[in-house]
Coordinates of all heavy atoms in Angstrom, one line a residue:
M1 N -11.8 -0.1 -24.8 CA -12.3 -0.4 -23.5 C -13.7 -1.1 -23.6 O -14.1 -1.9 -22.7 CB -12.4 0.8 -22.6 CG -12.6 0.7 -21.2 SD -11.5 -0.5 -20.4 CE -10.1 0.6 -20.1
E2 N -14.4 -0.8 -24.6 CA -15.8 -1.3 -24.8 C -15.8 -2.8 -24.8 O -16.8 -3.4 -24.4 CB -16.5 -0.8 -26.1 CG -16.7 0.7 -26.1 CD -15.5 1.4 -26.7 OE1 -15.0 1.1 -27.8 OE2 -14.9 2.3 -26.0
S3 N -14.7 -3.4 -25.2 CA -14.7 -4.9 -25.4 C -14.5 -5.6 -24.1 O -14.5 -6.8 -24.0 CB -13.7 -5.3 -26.4 OG -12.6 -4.5 -26.5
Y4 N -14.3 -4.9 -23.0 CA -14.0 -5.5 -21.7 C -15.1 -5.4 -20.7 O -15.7 -4.3 -20.5 CB -12.7 -4.9 -21.0 CG -11.5 -5.1 -21.9 CD1 -11.0 -4.1 -22.7 CD2 -10.8 -6.3 -21.9 CE1 -9.9 -4.3 -23.5 CE2 -9.7 -6.5 -22.6 CZ -9.2 -5.5 -23.5 OH -8.1 -5.7 -24.3
D5 N -15.5 -6.5 -20.0 CA -16.5 -6.5 -19.0 C -15.8 -6.4 -17.6 O -16.5 -6.0 -16.7 CB -17.3 -7.8 -19.0 CG -18.0 -8.0 -20.3 OD1 -18.5 -7.0 -20.8 OD2 -18.1 -9.1 -20.8
V6 N -14.6 -6.8 -17.5 CA -13.9 -6.8 -16.2 C -12.6 -6.0 -16.4 O -11.9 -6.2 -17.4 CB -13.5 -8.3 -15.9 CG1 -12.8 -8.3 -14.5 CG2 -14.8 -9.1 -15.8
V7 N -12.3 -5.2 -15.4 CA -11.1 -4.3 -15.5 C -10.4 -4.5 -14.1 O -10.9 -4.3 -13.1 CB -11.5 -2.8 -15.7 CG1 -10.2 -2.0 -15.7 CG2 -12.2 -2.7 -17.0
F8 N -9.1 -4.8 -14.2 CA -8.2 -4.8 -13.1 C -7.4 -3.5 -13.1 O -6.7 -3.2 -14.0 CB -7.2 -6.0 -13.1 CG -7.8 -7.3 -12.9 CD1 -8.6 -8.0 -13.8 CD2 -7.7 -8.0 -11.6 CE1 -9.2 -9.2 -13.6 CE2 -8.3 -9.2 -11.3 CZ -9.0 -9.8 -12.3
L9 N -7.6 -2.8 -12.0 CA -6.9 -1.5 -11.9 C -5.8 -1.6 -10.8 O -6.1 -1.8 -9.7 CB -7.9 -0.4 -11.4 CG -8.7 0.3 -12.4 CD1 -9.6 1.4 -11.6 CD2 -7.9 1.0 -13.4
G10 N -4.6 -1.4 -11.3 CA -3.4 -1.5 -10.4 C -2.8 -0.1 -10.2 O -2.7 0.6 -11.1
Y11 N -2.3 0.1 -9.0 CA -1.7 1.4 -8.7 C -0.9 1.3 -7.4 O -1.1 0.5 -6.6 CB -2.9 2.5 -8.5 CG -3.8 2.1 -7.4 CD1 -3.6 2.6 -6.1 CD2 -4.9 1.3 -7.6 CE1 -4.4 2.3 -5.0 CE2 -5.7 0.9 -6.5 CZ -5.4 1.4 -5.3 OH -6.3 1.1 -4.2
P12 N 0.1 2.3 -7.3 CA 0.8 2.4 -6.0 C 0.0 3.4 -5.1 O -0.6 4.4 -5.7 CB 2.1 3.0 -6.4 CG 1.8 3.8 -7.6 CD 0.6 3.1 -8.3
N13 N 0.1 3.3 -3.9 CA -0.3 4.3 -2.9 C 0.6 5.5 -3.0 O 1.8 5.3 -2.8 CB -0.4 3.8 -1.5 CG -0.7 4.8 -0.4 OD1 -0.5 6.0 -0.7 ND2 -1.0 4.4 0.8
W14 N 0.1 6.6 -3.4 CA 0.9 7.9 -3.4 C 0.2 8.9 -2.6 O -0.9 9.2 -2.8 CB 1.1 8.4 -4.8 CG 2.2 7.9 -5.6 CD1 2.9 6.8 -5.4 CD2 2.8 8.4 -6.9 NE1 3.9 6.6 -6.4 CE2 3.8 7.6 -7.3 CE3 2.4 9.5 -7.6 CZ2 4.5 7.8 -8.4 CZ3 3.2 9.8 -8.8 CH2 4.2 8.9 -9.2
W15 N 1.0 9.4 -1.6 CA 0.4 10.4 -0.7 C -0.9 10.0 -0.2 O -1.9 10.8 -0.3 CB 0.4 11.8 -1.4 CG 1.7 12.2 -2.0 CD1 1.9 12.5 -3.4 CD2 3.0 12.2 -1.4 NE1 3.3 12.7 -3.6 CE2 3.9 12.6 -2.4 CE3 3.4 12.0 -0.1 CZ2 5.3 12.8 -2.1 CZ3 4.8 12.2 0.2 CH2 5.7 12.6 -0.8
Y16 N -1.0 8.8 0.4 CA -2.2 8.3 1.1 C -3.4 8.1 0.1 O -4.5 7.9 0.5 CB -2.7 9.2 2.2 CG -1.6 9.6 3.2 CD1 -0.9 10.8 3.1 CD2 -1.1 8.7 4.2 CE1 0.1 11.2 3.9 CE2 -0.1 9.0 5.0 CZ 0.5 10.2 4.9 OH 1.6 10.6 5.7
G17 N -3.1 8.2 -1.2 CA -4.2 8.1 -2.2 C -3.7 7.4 -3.4 O -3.0 6.4 -3.3
V18 N -4.0 8.0 -4.6 CA -3.5 7.4 -5.8 C -2.8 8.4 -6.7 O -3.1 9.6 -6.6 CB -4.8 6.9 -6.6 CG1 -5.5 5.8 -5.8 CG2 -5.7 8.0 -7.0
P19 N -1.9 8.0 -7.6 CA -1.3 8.9 -8.5 C -2.3 9.6 -9.4 O -3.3 9.0 -9.8 CB -0.4 8.0 -9.4 CG -0.2 6.8 -8.6 CD -1.4 6.6 -7.8
M20 N -2.1 10.8 -9.7 CA -3.0 11.6 -10.6 C -3.3 10.9 -11.9 O -4.3 11.0 -12.5 CB -2.5 13.0 -10.8 CG -3.5 14.0 -11.4 SD -5.1 14.0 -10.5 CE -4.7 15.0 -9.1
A21 N -2.2 10.2 -12.4 CA -2.4 9.5 -13.7 C -3.5 8.5 -13.7 O -4.2 8.3 -14.7 CB -1.0 8.8 -14.0
L22 N -3.7 7.9 -12.5 CA -4.8 6.9 -12.4 C -6.2 7.6 -12.6 O -7.1 7.2 -13.3 CB -4.8 6.1 -11.1 CG -5.9 5.1 -10.9 CD1 -5.7 3.9 -11.8 CD2 -6.0 4.7 -9.5
L23 N -6.3 8.8 -11.9 CA -7.5 9.6 -12.0 C -7.8 10.1 -13.4 O -8.9 10.1 -13.9 CB -7.5 10.7 -11.0 CG -7.5 10.2 -9.5 CD1 -7.5 11.4 -8.6 CD2 -8.7 9.3 -9.2
S24 N -6.7 10.5 -14.1 CA -6.8 10.9 -15.5 C -7.3 9.7 -16.3 O -8.1 9.9 -17.2 CB -5.4 11.4 -16.0 OG -5.0 12.5 -15.3
F25 N -6.7 8.5 -16.1 CA -7.2 7.3 -16.8 C -8.7 7.1 -16.6 O -9.4 6.8 -17.5 CB -6.4 6.1 -16.4 CG -6.8 4.8 -17.0 CD1 -6.3 4.4 -18.2 CD2 -7.7 4.0 -16.3 CE1 -6.7 3.2 -18.8 CE2 -8.1 2.8 -16.9 CZ -7.6 2.4 -18.2
L26 N -9.1 7.3 -15.3 CA -10.5 7.0 -15.0 C -11.4 8.1 -15.7 O -12.6 7.8 -16.1 CB -10.8 7.0 -13.5 CG -10.0 5.8 -12.8 CD1 -10.3 5.9 -11.3 CD2 -10.3 4.5 -13.4
E27 N -10.9 9.3 -15.8 CA -11.7 10.4 -16.5 C -11.8 10.0 -18.0 O -12.9 10.4 -18.6 CB -10.9 11.7 -16.4 CG -11.4 12.6 -15.2 CD -10.6 13.9 -15.2 OE1 -10.0 14.3 -16.2 OE2 -10.5 14.4 -14.1
D28 N -10.8 9.4 -18.5 CA -10.8 9.2 -20.0 C -11.5 7.9 -20.4 O -11.7 7.7 -21.6 CB -9.3 9.1 -20.5 CG -8.6 10.5 -20.4 OD1 -9.4 11.5 -20.2 OD2 -7.4 10.5 -20.6
H29 N -11.8 7.1 -19.5 CA -12.4 5.8 -19.9 C -13.7 5.5 -19.1 O -13.6 5.6 -17.8 CB -11.4 4.6 -19.6 CG -10.2 4.7 -20.4 ND1 -9.1 5.5 -20.1 CD2 -9.9 4.3 -21.7 CE1 -8.1 5.4 -21.0 NE2 -8.6 4.7 -22.0
D30 N -14.7 5.2 -19.8 CA -16.0 4.9 -19.1 C -16.0 3.5 -18.6 O -16.1 2.5 -19.5 CB -17.1 5.2 -20.1 CG -18.5 5.0 -19.5 OD1 -18.6 4.8 -18.3 OD2 -19.5 5.0 -20.3
L31 N -16.0 3.3 -17.3 CA -16.0 1.9 -16.8 C -17.4 1.5 -16.3 O -17.6 0.5 -15.7 CB -15.0 1.8 -15.6 CG -13.6 2.2 -15.9 CD1 -12.7 1.8 -14.7 CD2 -13.1 1.5 -17.2
S32 N -18.4 2.3 -16.6 CA -19.8 2.0 -16.1 C -20.2 0.7 -16.7 O -20.0 0.3 -17.9 CB -20.8 3.1 -16.4 OG -20.7 3.6 -17.7
G33 N -20.8 -0.1 -15.8 CA -21.3 -1.5 -16.2 C -20.3 -2.6 -16.2 O -20.6 -3.7 -16.4
K34 N -19.1 -2.2 -15.8 CA -18.0 -3.2 -15.7 C -17.7 -3.6 -14.3 O -18.0 -2.8 -13.4 CB -16.7 -2.6 -16.3 CG -16.9 -2.2 -17.8 CD -15.6 -1.7 -18.4 CE -15.8 -0.9 -19.7 NZ -16.5 -1.7 -20.7
Q35 N -17.1 -4.8 -14.1 CA -16.7 -5.2 -12.8 C -15.2 -4.8 -12.6 O -14.4 -5.1 -13.5 CB -16.8 -6.8 -12.7 CG -16.1 -7.4 -11.5 CD -16.9 -7.0 -10.2 OE1 -18.0 -7.3 -10.1 NE2 -16.2 -6.3 -9.3
V36 N -15.0 -4.1 -11.6 CA -13.6 -3.5 -11.4 C -13.0 -4.2 -10.1 O -13.6 -4.3 -9.1 CB -13.6 -2.0 -11.2 CG1 -12.2 -1.5 -10.8 CG2 -14.1 -1.3 -12.5
Y37 N -11.7 -4.7 -10.3 CA -10.9 -5.2 -9.2 C -9.7 -4.3 -9.0 O -9.1 -3.9 -10.0 CB -10.5 -6.7 -9.5 CG -11.6 -7.6 -9.6 CD1 -12.0 -8.2 -10.9 CD2 -12.3 -8.1 -8.5 CE1 -13.0 -9.1 -11.0 CE2 -13.3 -9.0 -8.6 CZ -13.7 -9.5 -9.9 OH -14.7 -10.4 -10.0
L38 N -9.4 -4.1 -7.8 CA -8.2 -3.2 -7.5 C -7.1 -4.0 -6.9 O -7.3 -5.0 -6.1 CB -8.7 -2.2 -6.4 CG -9.9 -1.3 -6.7 CD1 -10.1 -0.3 -5.6 CD2 -9.6 -0.5 -8.0
F39 N -5.9 -3.6 -7.3 CA -4.7 -4.1 -6.6 C -3.7 -3.0 -6.5 O -3.6 -2.1 -7.3 CB -4.0 -5.3 -7.4 CG -3.6 -5.1 -8.8 CD1 -2.2 -4.8 -9.1 CD2 -4.5 -5.1 -9.9 CE1 -1.8 -4.6 -10.4 CE2 -4.0 -4.9 -11.2 CZ -2.7 -4.6 -11.4
C40 N -3.0 -3.0 -5.3 CA -2.2 -1.8 -4.9 C -1.0 -2.3 -4.2 O -1.0 -3.2 -3.4 CB -3.1 -1.0 -3.9 SG -2.2 0.3 -3.1
S41 N 0.1 -1.6 -4.5 CA 1.3 -1.7 -3.7 C 1.5 -0.4 -2.9 O 1.0 0.6 -3.3 CB 2.6 -2.0 -4.6 OG 2.8 -0.9 -5.4
H42 N 2.2 -0.6 -1.8 CA 2.3 0.6 -0.9 C 3.5 0.5 0.1 O 4.1 -0.6 0.2 CB 1.0 0.7 0.0 CG 0.6 -0.6 0.6 ND1 1.2 -1.1 1.7 CD2 -0.4 -1.5 0.3 CE1 0.7 -2.2 2.1 NE2 -0.3 -2.5 1.2
G43 N 3.7 1.5 0.8 CA 4.7 1.5 1.8 C 4.1 1.1 3.1 O 3.2 0.2 3.1
T44 N 4.4 1.8 4.2 CA 3.8 1.4 5.5 C 2.4 1.9 5.6 O 1.7 1.6 6.6 CB 4.6 1.9 6.7 OG1 4.8 3.3 6.5 CG2 6.0 1.2 6.7
G45 N 1.9 2.7 4.6 CA 0.6 3.3 4.8 C -0.6 2.5 4.3 O -1.8 2.9 4.5
G46 N -0.4 1.3 3.8 CA -1.5 0.4 3.4 C -2.3 1.1 2.2 O -1.8 1.9 1.5
L47 N -3.6 0.8 2.2 CA -4.4 1.3 1.1 C -4.8 2.8 1.4 O -5.1 3.5 0.4 CB -5.7 0.5 1.0 CG -5.5 -1.0 0.5 CD1 -6.8 -1.8 0.8 CD2 -5.2 -1.0 -1.0
A48 N -4.7 3.2 2.6 CA -5.0 4.6 3.0 C -6.4 5.0 2.4 O -7.3 4.2 2.5 CB -3.9 5.5 2.7
R49 N -6.4 6.1 1.8 CA -7.7 6.6 1.2 C -7.9 6.2 -0.3 O -8.9 6.6 -0.9 CB -7.7 8.2 1.3 CG -7.9 8.8 2.7 CD -8.5 10.1 2.6 NE -9.8 10.1 2.1 CZ -10.2 10.8 0.9 NH1 -9.3 11.4 0.2 NH2 -11.4 10.7 0.5
S50 N -7.0 5.4 -0.8 CA -7.0 5.1 -2.2 C -8.4 4.5 -2.7 O -8.9 4.9 -3.7 CB -5.9 4.2 -2.6 OG -6.0 2.9 -2.0
V51 N -8.9 3.6 -1.9 CA -10.2 2.9 -2.4 C -11.3 3.9 -2.3 O -12.1 4.0 -3.3 CB -10.5 1.7 -1.5 CG1 -11.8 1.0 -1.9 CG2 -9.3 0.7 -1.5
D52 N -11.4 4.8 -1.3 CA -12.4 5.8 -1.3 C -12.3 6.8 -2.5 O -13.3 7.2 -3.1 CB -12.3 6.6 0.0 CG -12.7 5.8 1.3 OD1 -13.4 4.8 1.1 OD2 -12.4 6.2 2.4
I53 N -11.1 7.1 -2.8 CA -10.9 8.1 -3.9 C -11.3 7.5 -5.2 O -12.0 8.1 -6.0 CB -9.4 8.5 -3.9 CG1 -9.0 9.4 -2.7 CG2 -9.1 9.2 -5.2 CD1 -7.5 9.6 -2.5
I54 N -11.0 6.2 -5.4 CA -11.4 5.5 -6.7 C -12.9 5.3 -6.7 O -13.5 5.6 -7.7 CB -10.6 4.2 -6.8 CG1 -9.1 4.4 -7.0 CG2 -11.2 3.3 -8.0 CD1 -8.3 3.2 -6.9
T55 N -13.5 5.0 -5.5 CA -14.9 4.8 -5.5 C -15.6 6.1 -5.8 O -16.6 6.1 -6.6 CB -15.3 4.3 -4.1 OG1 -14.6 3.1 -3.8 CG2 -16.8 4.0 -4.0
E56 N -15.1 7.2 -5.3 CA -15.7 8.5 -5.6 C -15.6 8.9 -7.1 O -16.4 9.5 -7.7 CB -15.0 9.6 -4.8 CG -15.6 9.7 -3.4 CD -14.6 10.5 -2.5 OE1 -13.9 11.4 -2.9 OE2 -14.6 10.2 -1.2
A57 N -14.5 8.4 -7.7 CA -14.2 8.7 -9.1 C -15.0 7.9 -10.0 O -15.2 8.2 -11.2 CB -12.7 8.6 -9.4
L58 N -15.6 6.8 -9.5 CA -16.4 5.8 -10.3 C -17.8 5.6 -9.8 O -18.1 4.5 -9.4 CB -15.6 4.5 -10.4 CG -14.2 4.5 -11.1 CD1 -13.6 3.1 -11.0 CD2 -14.4 4.9 -12.6
P59 N -18.6 6.6 -9.8 CA -19.9 6.5 -9.2 C -20.7 5.4 -10.0 O -20.6 5.4 -11.2 CB -20.6 7.9 -9.3 CG -19.8 8.6 -10.3 CD -18.4 8.0 -10.3
G60 N -21.4 4.5 -9.3 CA -22.2 3.5 -10.0 C -21.4 2.3 -10.6 O -22.0 1.5 -11.2
V61 N -20.1 2.3 -10.4 CA -19.3 1.2 -10.9 C -19.1 0.1 -9.8 O -18.9 0.5 -8.7 CB -17.9 1.7 -11.4 CG1 -17.0 0.6 -11.8 CG2 -18.2 2.6 -12.6
E62 N -19.2 -1.1 -10.2 CA -19.1 -2.2 -9.3 C -17.6 -2.5 -9.0 O -16.8 -2.9 -9.8 CB -19.7 -3.5 -9.9 CG -19.7 -4.7 -9.0 CD -20.5 -4.6 -7.7 OE1 -21.6 -3.9 -7.8 OE2 -20.1 -5.1 -6.7
I63 N -17.2 -2.1 -7.7 CA -15.8 -2.3 -7.3 C -15.8 -3.4 -6.3 O -16.4 -3.2 -5.2 CB -15.2 -1.0 -6.8 CG1 -15.2 0.1 -7.8 CG2 -13.7 -1.2 -6.3 CD1 -14.7 1.5 -7.3
S64 N -15.1 -4.5 -6.5 CA -15.0 -5.6 -5.6 C -14.3 -5.1 -4.3 O -13.3 -4.4 -4.4 CB -14.3 -6.7 -6.2 OG -14.0 -7.7 -5.2
D65 N -14.8 -5.6 -3.2 CA -14.1 -5.2 -1.9 C -13.0 -6.3 -1.6 O -12.3 -6.2 -0.6 CB -15.0 -5.0 -0.7 CG -16.0 -6.1 -0.5 OD1 -15.8 -7.2 -1.1 OD2 -16.9 -5.9 0.3
N66 N -12.8 -7.2 -2.5 CA -11.7 -8.2 -2.4 C -10.5 -7.6 -3.2 O -10.4 -7.7 -4.4 CB -12.1 -9.5 -2.9 CG -11.0 -10.6 -2.7 OD1 -9.9 -10.2 -2.3 ND2 -11.4 -11.9 -2.8
I67 N -9.7 -6.8 -2.4 CA -8.6 -6.0 -3.0 C -7.3 -6.7 -2.7 O -7.1 -7.1 -1.5 CB -8.7 -4.6 -2.5 CG1 -10.0 -3.9 -2.9 CG2 -7.4 -3.8 -2.9 CD1 -10.3 -2.7 -2.1
F68 N -6.4 -6.8 -3.7 CA -5.1 -7.3 -3.4 C -4.2 -6.1 -3.1 O -4.1 -5.2 -3.9 CB -4.5 -8.1 -4.5 CG -3.1 -8.6 -4.2 CD1 -2.9 -9.8 -3.5 CD2 -2.0 -7.9 -4.6 CE1 -1.7 -10.2 -3.2 CE2 -0.7 -8.3 -4.3 CZ -0.6 -9.5 -3.6
D69 N -3.5 -6.2 -2.0 CA -2.4 -5.2 -1.7 C -1.2 -5.8 -1.1 O -1.3 -6.9 -0.5 CB -3.0 -4.1 -0.8 CG -3.2 -4.5 0.6 OD1 -4.0 -5.3 0.9 OD2 -2.4 -4.0 1.5
C70 N -0.1 -5.2 -1.3 CA 1.1 -5.7 -0.7 C 2.1 -4.6 -0.4 O 2.1 -3.5 -1.1 CB 1.8 -6.8 -1.6 SG 2.5 -6.1 -3.1
Y71 N 3.0 -4.8 0.5 CA 4.0 -3.9 0.8 C 5.0 -3.9 -0.3 O 5.3 -4.9 -0.9 CB 4.7 -4.4 2.1 CG 5.8 -3.5 2.6 CD1 5.6 -2.2 2.9 CD2 7.1 -4.0 2.8 CE1 6.6 -1.3 3.4 CE2 8.2 -3.2 3.2 CZ 7.9 -1.8 3.5 OH 8.9 -1.0 3.9
E72 N 5.5 -2.7 -0.6 CA 6.3 -2.6 -1.9 C 7.4 -3.5 -2.0 O 7.7 -4.1 -3.0 CB 6.8 -1.1 -2.0 CG 7.6 -0.6 -0.8 CD 8.0 0.9 -1.0 OE1 8.4 1.2 -2.1 OE2 8.0 1.6 0.0
E73 N 8.1 -3.8 -0.9 CA 9.3 -4.7 -0.9 C 8.9 -6.2 -1.1 O 9.7 -7.0 -1.4 CB 10.2 -4.5 0.3 CG 10.9 -3.2 0.3 CD 11.7 -2.9 1.5 OE1 12.0 -3.8 2.3 OE2 12.1 -1.7 1.7
D74 N 7.6 -6.5 -0.8 CA 7.1 -7.8 -1.0 C 6.6 -8.1 -2.4 O 6.4 -9.3 -2.7 CB 6.0 -8.2 0.0 CG 6.5 -8.1 1.5 OD1 7.7 -8.3 1.7 OD2 5.7 -7.8 2.4
A75 N 6.5 -7.1 -3.2 CA 5.9 -7.2 -4.5 C 6.6 -8.3 -5.4 O 5.9 -9.1 -5.9 CB 5.8 -5.9 -5.2
P76 N 7.9 -8.3 -5.4 CA 8.6 -9.2 -6.3 C 8.3 -10.7 -5.9 O 8.4 -11.6 -6.7 CB 10.0 -8.9 -6.2 CG 10.1 -7.5 -5.7 CD 8.9 -7.3 -4.8
A77 N 8.0 -10.9 -4.6 CA 7.7 -12.3 -4.2 C 6.2 -12.6 -4.0 O 5.9 -13.5 -3.2 CB 8.5 -12.5 -2.8
S78 N 5.4 -11.9 -4.6 CA 3.9 -12.0 -4.4 C 3.2 -12.8 -5.4 O 2.0 -12.9 -5.3 CB 3.3 -10.6 -4.4 OG 3.7 -9.9 -3.3
Q79 N 3.9 -13.5 -6.3 CA 3.2 -14.2 -7.3 C 2.2 -15.2 -6.8 O 1.0 -15.3 -7.2 CB 4.2 -15.0 -8.2 CG 3.4 -15.7 -9.4 CD 4.4 -16.2 -10.5 OE1 5.5 -15.7 -10.6 NE2 3.9 -17.1 -11.2
E80 N 2.6 -16.0 -5.7 CA 1.7 -17.0 -5.2 C 0.4 -16.3 -4.6 O -0.7 -16.8 -4.8 CB 2.4 -17.8 -4.1 CG 2.5 -19.2 -4.4 CD 3.3 -20.0 -3.3 OE1 2.6 -20.1 -2.2 OE2 4.4 -20.4 -3.5
A81 N 0.7 -15.2 -3.8 CA -0.5 -14.5 -3.2 C -1.4 -13.9 -4.3 O -2.6 -13.9 -4.1 CB 0.1 -13.4 -2.3
I82 N -0.8 -13.5 -5.3 CA -1.6 -12.9 -6.4 C -2.5 -14.0 -7.1 O -3.7 -13.9 -7.4 CB -0.8 -12.2 -7.5 CG1 -0.2 -10.9 -6.8 CG2 -1.6 -11.9 -8.7 CD1 0.9 -10.3 -7.6
E83 N -1.8 -15.2 -7.3 CA -2.5 -16.3 -7.9 C -3.7 -16.8 -7.0 O -4.8 -17.1 -7.5 CB -1.6 -17.5 -8.2 CG -0.7 -17.2 -9.4 CD 0.4 -18.2 -9.6 OE1 0.6 -19.1 -8.9 OE2 1.1 -18.0 -10.6
S84 N -3.5 -16.8 -5.6 CA -4.5 -17.1 -4.7 C -5.7 -16.2 -4.8 O -6.9 -16.5 -4.8 CB -4.0 -17.1 -3.3 OG -3.0 -18.0 -3.1
W85 N -5.3 -14.9 -4.9 CA -6.3 -13.8 -5.0 C -7.2 -14.0 -6.3 O -8.4 -14.0 -6.2 CB -5.6 -12.5 -5.0 CG -6.5 -11.3 -5.2 CD1 -7.6 -10.9 -4.4 CD2 -6.5 -10.3 -6.3 NE1 -8.1 -9.7 -4.9 CE2 -7.5 -9.4 -6.1 CE3 -5.6 -10.2 -7.4 CZ2 -7.7 -8.3 -7.0 CZ3 -5.8 -9.1 -8.2 CH2 -6.8 -8.1 -8.0
L86 N -6.5 -14.3 -7.4 CA -7.2 -14.5 -8.6 C -8.1 -15.7 -8.6 O -9.2 -15.7 -9.1 CB -6.2 -14.7 -9.8 CG -5.4 -13.4 -10.2 CD1 -4.3 -13.7 -11.2 CD2 -6.4 -12.3 -10.7
T87 N -7.6 -16.8 -7.9 CA -8.5 -18.0 -7.7 C -9.7 -17.6 -6.9 O -10.8 -18.0 -7.2 CB -7.7 -19.1 -7.0 OG1 -6.5 -19.4 -7.8 CG2 -8.5 -20.4 -6.8
E88 N -9.5 -16.8 -5.8 CA -10.7 -16.4 -5.0 C -11.7 -15.7 -5.9 O -12.9 -15.7 -5.7 CB -10.2 -15.4 -3.9 CG -9.7 -16.1 -2.7 CD -9.2 -15.0 -1.7 OE1 -9.7 -13.9 -1.7 OE2 -8.2 -15.4 -1.1
L89 N -11.2 -14.9 -6.9 CA -12.1 -14.1 -7.7 C -12.7 -14.9 -8.8 O -13.6 -14.5 -9.6 CB -11.3 -13.0 -8.4 CG -10.6 -11.9 -7.5 CD1 -9.9 -10.9 -8.3 CD2 -11.6 -11.3 -6.5
G90 N -12.2 -16.2 -8.9 CA -12.8 -17.1 -9.9 C -12.0 -17.2 -11.2 O -12.6 -17.6 -12.3
Y91 N -10.7 -16.8 -11.2 CA -9.9 -16.8 -12.4 C -8.8 -17.9 -12.3 O -8.5 -18.3 -11.3 CB -9.3 -15.5 -12.7 CG -10.3 -14.4 -13.0 CD1 -10.8 -13.6 -12.1 CD2 -10.8 -14.3 -14.4 CE1 -11.8 -12.7 -12.4 CE2 -11.7 -13.4 -14.7 CZ -12.3 -12.6 -13.7 OH -13.3 -11.7 -14.0
Ligands
LIG1 C1 5.5 10.2 -4.7 C2 5.3 8.9 -3.8 C3 4.4 9.0 -2.7 C4 4.2 7.9 -1.9 N1 3.3 7.9 -0.9 C5 3.1 6.9 -0.2 C6 2.1 6.9 0.9 O1 1.5 7.9 1.2 N2 1.9 5.8 1.7 C7 2.6 4.6 1.4 O2 2.3 3.6 2.1 N3 3.5 4.5 0.4 C8 3.8 5.6 -0.4 N4 4.7 5.6 -1.4 C9 5.4 4.3 -1.7 C10 4.8 3.6 -2.9 O3 3.5 3.1 -2.6 C11 5.7 2.5 -3.4 O4 6.9 3.1 -3.7 C12 5.1 1.8 -4.5 O5 4.0 1.0 -4.1 C13 6.1 0.8 -5.2 O6 5.5 0.3 -6.4 P1 6.2 0.7 -7.8 O7 7.6 0.0 -7.8 O8 5.3 0.1 -8.8 O9 6.3 2.2 -7.9 C14 4.9 6.7 -2.2 C15 5.8 6.7 -3.2 C16 6.0 7.7 -4.0 C17 7.0 7.7 -5.2

């Protein structure tokens, strides 16, 4: 992880939040000083509390508020939208 300055964190919305596996990953990896981008798939609940939960788990970490999210059934057809998002981010 030390060799990365930028981290893209992807997750599904589970129970209005994030799967515990994501929080375990964040506990095990020090992301301080890195730029973090979030992307999320979800049902009808949208991002819900997921961004707040991740922000609380990563105090002092720069999390972009330009977040990509999509409805779960739209995910397979989201390549163009994801490419536009990455272009917006400068990639
Ligand atoms: C245990 C579980 C809890 C979920 N809770 C929510 C929820 O609270 N709100 C929501 O919009 N979608 C919820 N979903 C739907 C998931 O977000 C959706 O299945 C997922 O984004 C699909 O991505 P995947 O194919 O990578 O799992 C839940 C799914 C599971 C399996």
